[in-house]
Amino acid sequence: MIKVVHYINQFYAGKGGEEMANIPPEKVKGFVGPGMAFNAAFQGEAEIVATVFCGDSYFNENKEAVDTVIALIKEENPDIVICGPAFNAGRYGVACGTVASEVKAQLGIPTLTGMYDENPGVDMFKSKTIIMKTKDSAAGMRKAVAAMAPVALRMAKGEELGSAAAEGYFPTGIRKGLFEEKRGSERAVDMLLKKLAGEEFETEYPMPQFDRVQPNPAVVDLAHAKVALVTSGGIVPKGNPDHIESSSASHYGKYDIDGVQVLTDKTYETAHGGYDPVYANADPNRVLPVDVMREFEKEGRIGELSHYYYATVGNGTAVASAKKFADTFSKELIADGVQAVILTST
Amino acid sequence: MVKEIERAGIPVVHMCTVVPISLTVGANRIVPTVAIPHPLGNPALSHEEEHDLRKKLVGRALKALETPVDGQTVFEE
């Protein structure tokens, strides 16, 4: 019987939501949560012998968390380790990617995880572990398990996987030699003919898309500059007047803080559903530092704090949406004469 | 968002706790913060200590905005 260890977060372990995101790593015997579906999909060929779980915030904030997780996994001497899947959850994706990469590197055990295309964990770890492509939310769990379980079995048996496109994982960057029926020159001409005819063709070597923006020059005279605050941490006036969604935000808000010296629990709150809101609601300056920016303004460290701040919720929000938000409000920032931005994220 | 603000021509500093994500996203000026639910605070501290911590971190962000960089730069202590 193939021995599997499953890594999940506090939510899937049934411990709780964001209020429990700070729990340290723990291990339980057998399967928990989504492990049940994996176990069923193994059809008796493999079994989840233990499940290791950790709070997503704890994992991302404590460098030693990964060592504890690895030690807990090592005790089980598994044939394969499955992490997640994490779908589009950023911190969970980083945790799954870190555990999968480190287990593979340190213990030499094959590892497998699953994520949505836009999860930051994909770019961080796709060259270090196999990451199967999944939907963006847990609604895609059944499909993800159906895709991941057979791949996991084959990896545990030491079988070689097919190409990324055929198996459904993110390309790892490793190239393998193989024999094609047609030689390269013929394939290239075929491709060219299709291109000339305006037909669809598939490149054999997609160019990586690096969307990098060069840094702007430093601000020369901050003491006379207008500085604006922007946040993806969801700080909004109490009552969330624009109804910014707690996850997958479809819009942002623009809020006037002219004359506001400090954010209080009576006037502002967070709309973000992806972290424990207790601390931000008690003191919103912990996410949007209006109080100290006012002090820097009075001290002449900055020219002025812009009258408006912009806020959205960066929780499973599509990259395309975030791009559109910032593209729109950056034009307003420029029109307002803003010369520098501090953007805070949770 | 940080990249689009930069692309628009405004110098921007990203204050966040999970620095690897910020690096992956493509922020150029990065200041690491305290914790995910309270990046610019720490409820374990007294009100005054917490204020000083926040002022120090935001001060570092201002310093980052004044610092020329030619690539992704993390402004640690």
Side-chain angles (χ1 to χ4, degrees):
Chain A
M1 179 81 83
I2 294 166
K3 283 197 291 183
V4 183
V5 171
H6 193 199
Y7 176 83
I8 54 177
N9 68 3
Q10 83 287 348
F11 175 73
Y12 287 104
K15 291 290 163 184
E18 287 303 329
E19 75 286 1
M20 295 299 280
N22 258 309
I23 58 170
E26 268 183 67
K27 183 165 70 178
V28 288
K29 287 273 163 220
F31 64 79
V32 182
M36 188 166 160
F38 275 109
N39 245 9
F42 293 145
Q43 298 183 335
E45 275 198 77
E47 187 188 11
I48 294 177
V49 292
T51 302
V52 177
F53 59 89
C54 180
D56 281 335
S57 288
Y58 187 92
F59 191 96
N60 279 275
E61 290 169 3
N62 294 279
K63 287 195 171 71
E64 68 282 5
V66 62
D67 300 328
T68 312
V69 169
I70 288 176
L72 291 171
I73 291 173
K74 193 179 176 186
E75 291 167 357
E76 304 297 324
N77 193 25
D79 300 302
I80 183 152
V81 175
I82 297 177
C83 304
F87 304 105
N88 199 21
R91 285 167 304 159
Y92 191 23
V94 173
C96 285
T98 306
V99 171
S101 304
E102 290 303 314
V103 164
K104 191 179 162 206
Q106 293 184 31
L107 307 181
I109 297 167
T111 58
L112 178 70
T113 181
M115 297 180 206
Y116 177 63
D117 198 8
E118 289 189 355
N119 193 313
V122 171
D123 276 346
M124 291 166 69
F125 300 105
K126 65 185 175 187
S127 67
K128 300 181 185 128
T129 181
I130 298 290
I131 308 177
M132 298 290 286
K133 294 182 179 181
T134 71
K135 299 249 180 221
D136 61 352
S137 78
M141 183 63 88
R142 205 185 336 179
K143 225 180 146 190
V145 170
M148 288 170 72
V151 171
L153 287 178
R154 283 161 50 214
M155 289 175 77
K157 290 177 200 159
E159 285 178 29
E160 202 155 318
L161 295 183
S163 71
E167 303 276 10
Y169 59 87
F170 290 95
T172 57
I174 296 169
R175 292 194 220 169
K176 283 184 187 156
L178 59 94
F179 287 101
E180 287 278 3
E181 281 185 20
K182 288 181 176 177
R183 64 172 186 265
S185 53
E186 279 183 64
R187 302 204 304 276
V189 170
D190 286 347
M191 228 184 274
L192 183 62
L193 288 174
K194 279 188 180 174
K195 186 171 183 177
L196 288 171
E199 289 171 24
E200 291 267 321
F201 67 94
E202 205 175 322
T203 176
E204 290 181 12
Y205 190 69
M207 288 292 122
Q209 293 178 346
F210 292 115
D211 183 24
R212 286 283 180 251
V213 181
Q214 285 304 307
N216 286 307
V219 183
V220 181
D221 186 11
L222 204 57
H224 294 95
K226 190 192 260 193
V227 183
L229 289 174
V230 175
T231 187
S232 65
I235 300 298
V236 292
K238 193 101 178 171
N240 190 8
D242 293 324
H243 307 291
I244 298 177
E245 299 90 340
S246 60
S247 75
S248 304
S250 65
H251 57 290
Y252 63 89
K254 175 186 185 179
Y255 302 109
D256 190 346
I257 43 167
D258 187 21
V260 175
Q261 298 303 312
V262 54
L263 307 183
T264 73
D265 60 344
K266 301 204 170 44
T267 51
Y268 290 84
E269 65 182 359
T270 181
H272 202 295
Y275 64 87
D276 186 349
V278 171
Y279 313 104
N281 284 341
D283 181 358
N285 301 282
R286 286 168 174 159
V287 177
L288 193 78
V290 171
D291 59 346
V292 297
M293 286 301 280
R294 286 291 178 217
E295 292 172 22
F296 282 125
E297 188 179 41
K298 281 198 193 88
E299 293 160 11
R301 179 75 177 84
I302 61 168
E304 60 172 308
L305 178 60
S306 176
H307 281 189
Y308 298 100
Y309 81 88
Y310 293 84
T312 191
V313 164
N315 180 26
T317 301
V319 172
S321 301
K323 214 174 139 101
K324 197 179 67 196
F325 301 163
D327 183 49
T328 308
F329 68 63
S330 291
K331 292 191 179 84
E332 295 184 7
L333 290 169
I334 289 171
D336 280 345
V338 169
Q339 289 152 282
V341 168
I342 294 176
L343 194 156
T344 64
S345 289
T346 46
Chain B
M1 291 206 295
V2 71
K3 216 157 50 183
E4 295 313 305
I5 295 168
E6 191 97 83
R7 207 191 306 272
I10 311 169
V12 52
V13 55
H14 192 202
M15 304 193 77
C16 64
T17 302
V18 191
V19 173
I21 293 185
S22 182
L23 287 166
T24 302
V25 167
N28 288 316
R29 291 177 170 91
I30 302 166
V31 172
T33 54
V34 180
I36 291 159
H38 45 83
L40 296 170
N42 184 349
L45 301 176
S46 73
H47 189 72
E48 231 167 61
E49 288 170 327
E50 194 179 4
H51 164 272
D52 293 348
L53 169 71
R54 176 153 60 248
K55 193 144 186 193
K56 189 183 80 180
L57 288 169
V58 176
R60 195 180 297 159
L62 295 176
K63 191 77 214 152
L65 288 166
E66 293 174 316
T67 309
V69 298
D70 49 359
Q72 295 192 298
T73 308
V74 180
F75 292 83
E76 307 265 5
E77 307 215 15

